[in-house]
């Protein structure tokens, strides 16, 4: 296998940086419940061609979250998994139909505002009680804005799982969602083969990050976990609003 097939023609300095970012992203999500996917997405958006960012991010997140799901498999809140999967199938199907027609900037601002609301208040009852609706909305949005983990985290936060159950169930949900999204982009014609070597390296480094982050999670108490989770959600929400505003402003 040539070097170009391993690092997808990006060169080893960039590939090494992305490998380190993948480790960091998985560490953050395993330790604090959310945030790592957005870190990885930001790095990919800076260093990859625009057309490859969301599909490559999706497949990397399949591997990262699948590893986390396996490590935390005994703590998954299983009764919500089936409804979330059903909703995700609907959301991905709808998103695939409109993927080139909706404005990403507006969606980012709306998503960011909702996440901020969930930090200072509670999501509406119809959303708190429905894993299926959460799956449908987040899976629809993920076709456009990539990292919708914070939206899913607002649902899990509202049903008051403990910190380990939160991480385990969030990983399960995101594995399913990113797997469906990756399949959808494959059907839409994205060529994953040229990125395969780099994706494997990012998944492996992400698994190592999860193992390290899990040790931090087990040493953290519930109050500190919730404080850090709300802090990260706030930062990610503000970043989404900023990115959406820049996207809309840049089109004028």
């Amino acid at each position: 296998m040539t070097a170009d097939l391993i690092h997808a023609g990006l060169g080893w300095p960039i590939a090494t940086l992305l490998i380190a970012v993948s480790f960091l992203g998985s560490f953050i999500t395993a330790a604090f419940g959310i945030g790592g996917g957005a870190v990885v997405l930001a790095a990919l958006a800076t260093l990859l061609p625009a057309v490859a960012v969301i599909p490559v991010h999706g497949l990397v997140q399949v591997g990262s979250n699948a590893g986390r799901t396996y490590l935390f498999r005994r703590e998954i809140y299983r009764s919500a998994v089936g409804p979330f999967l059903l909703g995700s199938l609907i959301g991905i199907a709808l998103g695939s139909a409109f993927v080139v027609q909706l404005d990403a900037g507006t969606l980012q601002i709306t998503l960011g505002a909702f996440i901020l609301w969930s930090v200072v208040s509670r999501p509406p009852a119809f959303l708190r009680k429905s894993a299926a609706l959460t799956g449908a909305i987040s899976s629809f949005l993920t076709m456009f804005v990539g990292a919708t983990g914070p939206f899913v985290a607002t649902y899990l936060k509202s049903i008051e799982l403990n910190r380990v159950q939160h991480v385990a169930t969030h990983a399960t949900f995101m594995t399913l969602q990113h797997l469906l999204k990756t399949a959808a982009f494959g059907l839409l014609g994205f060529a994953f083969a040229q990125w395969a070597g780099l994706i494997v390296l990012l998944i492996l480094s992400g698994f190592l990050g999860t193992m390290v982050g899990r040790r931090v999670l087990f040493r953290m108490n519930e109050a500190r976990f919730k404080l850090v989770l709300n802090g990260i959600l706030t930062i990610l929400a503000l970043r989404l609003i900023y990115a959406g505003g820049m996207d809309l402003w840049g089109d004028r």
Side-chain angles (χ1 to χ4, degrees), residues 159-227:
I159 61 175
E160 300 180 347
L161 303 176
N162 68 47
R163 66 191 190 284
V164 182
Q165 288 176 318
H166 178 108
V167 171
T169 310
H170 188 271
T172 304
F173 283 3
M174 299 314 293
T175 299
L176 295 172
Q177 185 178 100
H178 284 299
L179 184 60
L180 292 173
K181 179 174 70 174
T182 299
F185 274 108
L187 291 173
L188 290 171
F190 182 78
F192 284 99
Q194 70 183 91
W195 300 98
L198 179 64
I199 288 171
V200 169
L201 292 178
L202 297 184
I203 289 173
L204 291 175
S205 64
F207 185 74
L208 293 176
T210 292
M211 293 179 68
V212 177
R214 183 176 66 160
R215 296 173 63 89
V216 174
L217 177 68
F218 286 156
R219 295 178 181 179
M220 192 182 309
N221 61 41
E222 297 292 338
R224 181 172 296 180
F225 176 82
K226 290 179 181 178
L227 180 64

Side-chain angles (χ1 to χ4, degrees), residues 76-217:
I76 297 168
Y77 183 58
R78 299 181 186 278
S79 63
V81 173
F84 182 87
L85 175 59
L86 178 60
S88 294
L89 286 167
I90 296 171
I92 291 292
L94 291 173
S96 298
F98 295 101
V99 70
V100 297
Q101 300 178 31
L102 297 182
D103 185 80
T106 300
L107 291 173
Q108 286 175 310
I109 293 173
T110 303
L111 179 57
F114 178 86
I115 293 168
L116 278 180
W117 178 31
S118 76
V119 171
V120 301
S121 182
R122 299 186 74 188
F126 73 88
L127 186 58
R128 293 199 309 269
K129 297 177 181 179
S130 179
L133 187 58
T134 299
I137 295 173
S138 62
S139 296
F140 177 81
L141 292 173
T142 197
M143 296 296 291
F144 307 90
V145 298
T148 54
F151 182 90
V152 175
T154 63
Y155 163 74
L156 294 173
K157 188 166 75 77
S158 73
I159 61 175
E160 300 180 347
L161 303 176
N162 68 47
R163 66 191 190 284
V164 182
Q165 288 176 318
H166 178 108
V167 171
T169 310
H170 188 271
T172 304
F173 283 3
M174 299 314 293
T175 299
L176 295 172
Q177 185 178 100
H178 284 299
L179 184 60
L180 292 173
K181 179 174 70 174
T182 299
F185 274 108
L187 291 173
L188 290 171
F190 182 78
F192 284 99
Q194 70 183 91
W195 300 98
L198 179 64
I199 288 171
V200 169
L201 292 178
L202 297 184
I203 289 173
L204 291 175
S205 64
F207 185 74
L208 293 176
T210 292
M211 293 179 68
V212 177
R214 183 176 66 160
R215 296 173 63 89
V216 174
L217 177 68

Side-chain angles (χ1 to χ4, degrees), residues 62-73:
V62 169
S64 177
N65 283 286
R68 197 152 43 249
T69 298
Y70 174 76
L71 291 176
F72 290 95
R73 61 192 181 278

